Amino acid sequence: MTTEVLRISGVRHRYGAQVALDGVDLAVRAGECVALLGPNGAGKTTLIGLATGLLARQAGEVAVCGADPRRAATRRRLGVVQQERGFPPTETVRELVRGAAVRAGRSPDAAGPVLDEVGLGDLARRRARRLSGGQQQRVALAMALVGAPDLLLLDEPTVGLDVAARRDFWTDLARRRDAGVGLLLTTHVVEEAAAVADRVVVLHRGRVVAADTPAGLVALLPDRTISARTALDDVALRALPGVRTLAREGDRVRVGTAEPERVLRDWLARDHGLAELRVEGAGLEAALLALTGEEVPA
Protein backbone atom coordinates (compact mmCIF):
# COMPACT_ATOMS: atom_id res chain seq x y z
CA MET A 1 0.00 0.00 0.00
CA THR A 2 1.37 3.40 -1.05
CA THR A 3 2.12 5.78 1.82
CA GLU A 4 0.29 9.10 2.02
CA VAL A 5 2.70 11.95 2.69
CA LEU A 6 -0.07 14.57 2.86
CA ARG A 7 -3.65 14.12 4.08
CA ILE A 8 -6.11 17.01 4.18
CA SER A 9 -9.58 16.01 5.30
CA GLY A 10 -12.70 18.13 5.78
CA VAL A 11 -10.68 21.33 6.10
CA ARG A 12 -12.52 24.61 6.53
CA HIS A 13 -10.84 27.99 6.90
CA ARG A 14 -12.17 31.53 7.16
CA TYR A 15 -10.76 35.03 7.17
CA GLY A 16 -13.51 36.83 9.05
CA ALA A 17 -16.67 36.44 6.98
CA GLN A 18 -14.73 35.26 3.92
CA VAL A 19 -14.66 31.49 3.37
CA ALA A 20 -11.28 30.42 1.95
CA LEU A 21 -11.70 26.64 2.21
CA ASP A 22 -15.02 24.88 2.59
CA GLY A 23 -14.67 21.16 3.37
CA VAL A 24 -11.59 20.34 1.28
CA ASP A 25 -10.24 16.79 0.99
CA LEU A 26 -6.88 16.17 -0.66
CA ALA A 27 -4.15 13.54 -0.47
CA VAL A 28 -0.67 13.17 -1.94
CA ARG A 29 1.01 9.77 -2.02
CA ALA A 30 4.72 9.02 -1.98
CA GLY A 31 6.13 9.20 -5.50
CA GLU A 32 3.13 11.17 -6.82
CA CYS A 33 2.87 14.69 -8.26
CA VAL A 34 -0.47 16.41 -7.63
CA ALA A 35 -1.18 19.75 -9.30
CA LEU A 36 -3.51 22.13 -7.47
CA LEU A 37 -5.21 24.43 -9.96
CA GLY A 38 -7.89 27.09 -9.80
CA PRO A 39 -8.50 30.81 -10.40
CA ASN A 40 -7.21 33.50 -8.07
CA GLY A 41 -9.05 33.38 -4.76
CA ALA A 42 -9.83 29.68 -5.06
CA GLY A 43 -8.05 28.85 -1.78
CA LYS A 44 -4.74 27.48 -3.04
CA THR A 45 -2.51 29.75 -0.93
CA THR A 46 -4.50 28.99 2.22
CA LEU A 47 -4.21 25.25 1.60
CA ILE A 48 -0.44 25.53 1.15
CA GLY A 49 -0.22 27.58 4.34
CA LEU A 50 -2.00 24.83 6.25
CA ALA A 51 0.18 22.10 4.73
CA THR A 52 3.37 23.93 5.69
CA GLY A 53 2.13 24.59 9.22
CA LEU A 54 2.30 28.36 8.74
CA LEU A 55 -1.46 28.53 9.32
CA ALA A 56 -3.26 26.89 12.22
CA ARG A 57 -6.16 24.72 11.10
CA GLN A 58 -9.61 25.91 12.16
CA ALA A 59 -11.58 22.78 11.27
CA GLY A 60 -10.72 19.41 9.76
CA GLU A 61 -7.48 17.45 9.72
CA VAL A 62 -4.09 18.24 8.18
CA ALA A 63 -1.30 15.67 8.42
CA VAL A 64 2.16 15.44 6.86
CA CYS A 65 3.46 11.88 7.04
CA GLY A 66 0.76 11.24 9.63
CA ALA A 67 1.74 14.11 11.96
CA ASP A 68 0.86 17.75 12.63
CA PRO A 69 2.78 20.06 10.23
CA ARG A 70 3.05 22.70 12.98
CA ARG A 71 5.46 20.48 14.89
CA ALA A 72 9.13 21.19 14.20
CA ALA A 73 9.91 17.50 13.71
CA THR A 74 7.19 17.24 11.06
CA ARG A 75 8.31 20.35 9.19
CA ARG A 76 11.72 18.74 8.76
CA ARG A 77 10.03 16.21 6.50
CA LEU A 78 8.85 19.04 4.25
CA GLY A 79 10.63 20.88 1.47
CA VAL A 80 9.11 24.14 0.22
CA VAL A 81 9.82 26.05 -2.98
CA GLN A 82 7.94 29.32 -3.23
CA GLN A 83 7.34 31.84 -5.98
CA GLU A 84 9.05 34.69 -4.13
CA ARG A 85 12.77 34.25 -3.65
CA GLY A 86 14.70 36.50 -1.31
CA PHE A 87 18.35 35.79 -0.50
CA PRO A 88 20.65 37.76 1.86
CA PRO A 89 22.99 39.93 -0.22
CA THR A 90 26.22 38.47 1.19
CA GLU A 91 25.33 34.76 1.39
CA THR A 92 26.89 32.38 -1.11
CA VAL A 93 25.04 29.45 -2.65
CA ARG A 94 26.97 26.98 -0.49
CA GLU A 95 26.26 28.93 2.71
CA LEU A 96 22.54 29.04 2.00
CA VAL A 97 22.25 25.33 1.31
CA ARG A 98 24.47 24.36 4.25
CA GLY A 99 22.30 26.51 6.52
CA ALA A 100 19.16 24.80 5.20
CA ALA A 101 20.74 21.41 5.91
CA VAL A 102 21.48 22.34 9.54
CA ARG A 103 17.96 23.66 10.08
CA ALA A 104 16.63 20.34 8.75
CA GLY A 105 18.73 18.44 11.30
CA ARG A 106 21.28 17.18 8.79
CA SER A 107 25.01 17.61 8.43
CA PRO A 108 26.10 20.74 6.53
CA ASP A 109 28.16 18.38 4.36
CA ALA A 110 24.86 17.24 2.78
CA ALA A 111 24.92 20.46 0.76
CA GLY A 112 27.67 19.34 -1.62
CA PRO A 113 25.88 16.36 -3.23
CA VAL A 114 22.62 18.30 -3.53
CA LEU A 115 24.35 21.24 -5.22
CA ASP A 116 25.83 18.81 -7.73
CA GLU A 117 22.42 17.19 -8.21
CA VAL A 118 20.78 20.47 -9.25
CA GLY A 119 23.74 21.63 -11.33
CA LEU A 120 25.08 24.32 -8.98
CA GLY A 121 28.35 22.70 -7.92
CA ASP A 122 30.40 25.13 -10.02
CA LEU A 123 28.50 28.13 -8.62
CA ALA A 124 28.71 27.20 -4.93
CA ARG A 125 30.98 30.14 -4.04
CA ARG A 126 28.94 32.73 -5.89
CA ARG A 127 26.54 35.04 -4.05
CA ALA A 128 23.01 33.89 -4.70
CA ARG A 129 21.72 37.41 -5.36
CA ARG A 130 24.00 37.62 -8.42
CA LEU A 131 22.60 34.53 -10.12
CA SER A 132 20.05 34.44 -12.92
CA GLY A 133 16.40 33.77 -12.13
CA GLY A 134 16.69 30.14 -13.19
CA GLN A 135 19.83 29.63 -11.11
CA GLN A 136 18.21 31.25 -8.06
CA GLN A 137 15.28 28.89 -8.37
CA ARG A 138 17.74 26.00 -8.38
CA VAL A 139 19.19 27.38 -5.15
CA ALA A 140 15.69 27.38 -3.67
CA LEU A 141 15.22 23.81 -4.87
CA ALA A 142 18.55 22.73 -3.35
CA MET A 143 17.55 24.30 -0.03
CA ALA A 144 14.30 22.32 -0.15
CA LEU A 145 15.97 19.05 -1.13
CA VAL A 146 18.92 19.09 1.25
CA GLY A 147 16.73 18.00 4.15
CA ALA A 148 15.76 14.81 2.26
CA PRO A 149 12.03 15.64 2.49
CA ASP A 150 9.20 13.16 2.07
CA LEU A 151 6.95 15.90 0.67
CA LEU A 152 7.78 18.88 -1.54
CA LEU A 153 5.36 21.81 -1.66
CA LEU A 154 5.88 23.87 -4.82
CA ASP A 155 4.02 27.19 -4.86
CA GLU A 156 4.21 28.65 -8.40
CA PRO A 157 7.82 27.45 -8.59
CA THR A 158 8.57 28.25 -12.24
CA VAL A 159 7.18 31.79 -12.51
CA GLY A 160 9.65 33.92 -14.48
CA LEU A 161 11.71 30.98 -15.75
CA ASP A 162 12.38 30.52 -19.44
CA VAL A 163 11.55 27.28 -21.21
CA ALA A 164 15.00 25.74 -20.75
CA ALA A 165 15.18 26.61 -17.05
CA ARG A 166 11.68 25.23 -16.51
CA ARG A 167 12.59 21.98 -18.25
CA ASP A 168 15.74 21.60 -16.14
CA PHE A 169 13.80 22.33 -12.96
CA TRP A 170 11.31 19.55 -13.64
CA THR A 171 14.06 17.14 -14.66
CA ASP A 172 15.61 17.62 -11.22
CA LEU A 173 12.28 17.02 -9.49
CA ALA A 174 11.46 13.96 -11.60
CA ARG A 175 14.43 12.16 -10.04
CA ARG A 176 13.12 12.83 -6.53
CA ARG A 177 9.60 11.78 -7.43
CA ASP A 178 10.96 8.54 -8.89
CA ALA A 179 12.75 8.01 -5.57
CA GLY A 180 9.42 8.24 -3.70
CA VAL A 181 9.07 11.93 -2.78
CA GLY A 182 5.52 13.32 -2.99
CA LEU A 183 4.98 16.65 -4.79
CA LEU A 184 2.14 19.14 -4.41
CA LEU A 185 2.30 21.84 -7.07
CA THR A 186 0.30 25.04 -7.41
CA THR A 187 0.64 26.70 -10.78
CA HIS A 188 -1.12 28.93 -13.28
CA VAL A 189 0.78 27.24 -16.12
CA VAL A 190 -1.86 24.76 -17.22
CA GLU A 191 0.37 23.11 -19.82
CA GLU A 192 2.97 22.49 -17.13
CA ALA A 193 0.44 20.81 -14.87
CA ALA A 194 -0.73 18.61 -17.72
CA ALA A 195 2.84 17.57 -18.49
CA VAL A 196 4.16 16.79 -15.00
CA ALA A 197 1.19 15.91 -12.78
CA ASP A 198 -0.14 12.44 -12.09
CA ARG A 199 -3.37 13.95 -10.76
CA VAL A 200 -4.98 17.38 -10.93
CA VAL A 201 -7.16 18.81 -8.15
CA VAL A 202 -9.26 21.81 -9.14
CA LEU A 203 -10.23 24.30 -6.42
CA HIS A 204 -12.98 26.83 -6.97
CA ARG A 205 -14.33 29.15 -4.27
CA GLY A 206 -12.82 27.02 -1.54
CA ARG A 207 -14.15 23.69 -2.75
CA VAL A 208 -12.74 20.81 -4.77
CA VAL A 209 -14.78 20.73 -7.97
CA ALA A 210 -12.77 17.99 -9.70
CA ALA A 211 -9.91 15.59 -8.99
CA ASP A 212 -8.60 13.28 -11.69
CA THR A 213 -5.72 12.66 -14.05
CA PRO A 214 -5.15 15.39 -16.66
CA ALA A 215 -6.64 13.09 -19.29
CA GLY A 216 -9.57 12.31 -17.02
CA LEU A 217 -10.44 16.00 -16.64
CA VAL A 218 -10.24 16.56 -20.38
CA ALA A 219 -12.61 13.60 -20.84
CA LEU A 220 -15.28 15.61 -19.00
CA LEU A 221 -15.53 17.78 -22.10
CA PRO A 222 -16.84 17.02 -25.56
CA ASP A 223 -14.14 15.33 -27.59
CA ARG A 224 -13.81 18.03 -30.25
CA THR A 225 -14.44 21.71 -30.82
CA ILE A 226 -15.43 22.88 -34.29
CA SER A 227 -15.00 26.57 -35.10
CA ALA A 228 -16.01 28.33 -38.31
CA ARG A 229 -17.67 31.34 -39.92
CA THR A 230 -21.23 30.42 -40.81
CA ALA A 231 -24.46 31.91 -42.06
CA LEU A 232 -26.52 29.74 -39.69
CA ASP A 233 -27.94 31.33 -36.57
CA ASP A 234 -27.65 29.84 -33.08
CA VAL A 235 -31.06 28.19 -33.23
CA ALA A 236 -30.18 26.31 -36.41
CA LEU A 237 -26.77 25.30 -35.03
CA ARG A 238 -28.17 23.99 -31.77
CA ALA A 239 -30.62 21.89 -33.79
CA LEU A 240 -27.79 19.99 -35.50
CA PRO A 241 -27.66 16.41 -34.16
CA GLY A 242 -24.61 15.91 -31.92
CA VAL A 243 -24.09 19.56 -30.87
CA ARG A 244 -23.54 19.83 -27.11
CA THR A 245 -22.28 23.39 -26.60
CA LEU A 246 -22.21 26.57 -28.65
CA ALA A 247 -20.41 29.90 -28.17
CA ARG A 248 -19.88 33.00 -30.29
CA GLU A 249 -16.49 34.70 -30.57
CA GLY A 250 -16.99 37.77 -32.69
CA ASP A 251 -18.09 36.58 -36.12
CA ARG A 252 -16.93 33.02 -35.44
CA VAL A 253 -18.86 30.25 -33.74
CA ARG A 254 -17.46 27.40 -31.64
CA VAL A 255 -19.39 24.15 -31.34
CA GLY A 256 -18.55 21.36 -28.89
CA THR A 257 -19.39 17.79 -29.85
CA ALA A 258 -18.45 14.17 -29.28
CA GLU A 259 -19.48 13.41 -32.88
CA PRO A 260 -17.54 15.87 -35.08
CA GLU A 261 -17.99 13.92 -38.32
CA ARG A 262 -21.76 13.80 -37.93
CA VAL A 263 -21.99 17.48 -37.03
CA LEU A 264 -19.79 18.49 -39.98
CA ARG A 265 -21.84 16.50 -42.49
CA ASP A 266 -25.10 18.14 -41.39
CA TRP A 267 -23.53 21.58 -41.03
CA LEU A 268 -22.03 21.54 -44.52
CA ALA A 269 -25.33 20.32 -45.96
CA ARG A 270 -27.11 23.35 -44.47
CA ASP A 271 -24.42 25.98 -45.11
CA HIS A 272 -22.47 25.61 -48.36
CA GLY A 273 -20.62 28.85 -47.58
CA LEU A 274 -19.05 27.53 -44.36
CA ALA A 275 -15.57 29.15 -44.08
CA GLU A 276 -12.39 29.00 -41.99
CA LEU A 277 -13.34 25.61 -40.61
CA ARG A 278 -11.19 24.22 -37.80
CA VAL A 279 -11.55 21.07 -35.66
CA GLU A 280 -9.63 20.95 -32.37
CA GLY A 281 -9.22 18.53 -29.50
CA ALA A 282 -10.12 19.65 -25.99
CA GLY A 283 -7.32 20.49 -23.57
CA LEU A 284 -6.86 20.82 -19.82
CA GLU A 285 -7.30 24.60 -19.90
CA ALA A 286 -10.69 24.16 -21.56
CA ALA A 287 -11.63 21.61 -18.92
CA LEU A 288 -10.76 24.05 -16.12
CA LEU A 289 -12.78 26.79 -17.76
CA ALA A 290 -15.76 24.45 -18.03
CA LEU A 291 -15.41 23.35 -14.39
CA THR A 292 -14.97 26.77 -12.82
CA GLY A 293 -16.45 29.20 -15.30
CA GLU A 294 -13.28 31.30 -14.89
CA GLU A 295 -10.04 31.35 -16.83
CA VAL A 296 -6.88 30.39 -14.98
CA PRO A 297 -4.59 33.47 -15.24
CA ALA A 298 -1.42 33.11 -17.28
Side-chain angles (χ1 to χ4, degrees), residues 80-288:
V80 182
V81 180
Q82 295 179 310
Q83 176 180 349
E84 299 296 330
R85 301 180 298 272
F87 299 124
T90 61
E91 294 279 335
T92 67
V93 171
R94 177 183 285 116
E95 289 168 341
L96 286 169
V97 181
R98 285 170 67 90
V102 172
R103 289 191 297 275
R106 304 196 70 208
S107 166
D109 293 338
V114 172
L115 287 172
D116 290 336
E117 177 185 352
V118 301
L120 290 174
D122 293 339
L123 300 174
R125 296 182 179 179
R126 189 172 299 184
R127 291 180 180 176
R129 289 280 291 271
R130 295 184 177 179
L131 299 179
S132 68
Q135 290 168 337
Q136 287 188 7
Q137 193 66 322
R138 284 173 172 265
V139 175
L141 178 59
M143 293 173 68
L145 294 178
V146 75
D150 296 296
L151 172 65
L152 278 169
L153 299 174
L154 309 162
D155 190 10
E156 301 286 352
T158 58
V159 169
L161 301 189
D162 59 28
V163 174
R166 184 177 287 132
R167 182 186 61 243
D168 292 342
F169 182 84
W170 285 112
T171 298
D172 294 336
L173 282 171
R175 288 193 292 267
R176 290 293 178 131
R177 178 174 62 176
D178 292 345
V181 177
L183 280 63
L184 179 62
L185 160 73
T186 72
T187 180
H188 284 133
V189 185
V190 176
E191 297 82 3
E192 184 173 73
V196 305
D198 300 299
R199 287 191 300 119
V200 177
V201 175
V202 183
L203 273 183
H204 183 53
R205 297 180 180 176
R207 295 183 177 182
V208 174
V209 296
D212 207 333
T213 64
L217 290 183
V218 171
L220 296 174
L221 291 181
D223 296 335
R224 294 289 184 271
T225 299
I226 306 171
S227 61
R229 300 183 191 276
T230 180
L232 299 185
D233 61 21
D234 289 0
V235 173
L237 288 169
R238 292 185 187 278
L240 295 176
V243 170
R244 292 184 177 180
T245 63
L246 187 148
R248 291 277 179 179
E249 297 177 354
D251 57 353
R252 294 182 64 85
V253 64
R254 293 176 63 87
V255 167
T257 178
E259 306 171 89
E261 295 83 2
R262 181 184 183 188
V263 170
L264 282 172
R265 282 196 302 268
D266 290 342
W267 197 346
L268 287 166
R270 289 166 172 76
D271 183 3
H272 298 290
L274 195 65
E276 298 182 26
L277 181 65
R278 180 180 301 171
V279 181
E280 302 169 302
L284 180 57
E285 187 166 10
L288 294 176

